[in-house]
């Protein structure tokens, strides 16, 4: 059994997709980051970095419980555990890992920072940061589209954890100012993945999860955004 700690963000959506794709039984355990649940000592024992997602595999290596944090590491762990969605051939496997790393180090941070400066940062006064992350995000959309014009999937011929990691970040393409009809590779891939039963299951489960994002206290918002009394600079 997998205990799966998360809420609704794209990094959590990836793990829902993988668990559903693999048909692995799991217990979802909500951690409301807008209510600072991720700072509870019991959660910090699971992830000292205080972020979701986290999984605890009660039947991990050697039959012992094993905890994994960082969504990219969780996807790789589940792929290795099940032998699914990561090619065995070394070159093909590293094609997948490279695109997984593009998501983890590029798409996630750039899209996340764009959203922060678009929706949450004070305006005016943050135009430089907004432009920097919007430019990087749009550059990455072009990169994904180019890759998907010449390959069916990000890792190459087959659907893999690289696609599962990236798809949730592209769901808000319209809000990101991207006209997906003008990006044929991205559109074909996005439409195909949207139709997968595991992706539909993830979206249905997301819609049922309650978070306090809209009603979070000013203190919890300040802690989440590293500002106010939590700012270090
Ligand atoms: N690189 C991490 C990022 C995880 C992450 O940023 N999680 C957010 C989800 S909203 C979180 O837990 N934020 C709470 C906080 O930083 O206090 C991963 O991919 O798992």
């Amino acid at each position: 059994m997998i205990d799966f700690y998360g809420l609704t963000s794209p990094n959590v959506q990836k793990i829902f997709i993988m668990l559903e794709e693999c048909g692995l039984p799991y217990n979802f355990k909500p951690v409301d980051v807008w209510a600072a649940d991720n700072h509870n000592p019991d959660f910090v024992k699971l992830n000292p970095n205080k972020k979701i997602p986290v999984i605890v595999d009660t039947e991990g290596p050697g039959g012992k419980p094993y905890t994994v944090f960082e969504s990219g590491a969780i996807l790789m762990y589940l792929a290795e555990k099940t032998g699914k969605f990561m090619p065995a051939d070394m070159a093909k496997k590293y094609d997948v890992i490279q695109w997984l790393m593009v998501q983890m180090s590029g798409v996630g941070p750039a899209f996340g920072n764009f959203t922060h400066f678009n929706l949450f940062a004070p305006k005016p006064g943050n135009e430089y940061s907004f432009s920097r992350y919007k430019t990087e995000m749009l550059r990455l959309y072009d990169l994904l589209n180019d890759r998907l014009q010449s390959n069916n999937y990000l890792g190459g011929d087959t659907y893999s954890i690289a696609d599962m990691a990236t798809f949730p970040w592209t769901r808000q393409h319209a809000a990101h100012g991207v006209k997906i009809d003008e990006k044929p590779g991205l559109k074909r891939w996005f439409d195909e993945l949207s139709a997968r039963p595991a992706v539909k299951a993830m979206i249905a489960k997301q819609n049922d999860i309650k978070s306090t994002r809209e009603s979070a206290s000013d203190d919890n918002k300040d802690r989440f955004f590293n500002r106010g009394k939590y700012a270090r600079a």
Side-chain angles (χ1 to χ4, degrees), residues 9 11 14 33 38-39 50-53 70-71 104 224:
S9 60
N11 288 320
K14 306 168 184 178
V33 290
N38 51 320
H39 294 269
K50 303 179 182 168
K51 291 187 190 283
I52 50 172
E70 281 294 319
S71 60
M104 292 299 297
F224 186 91

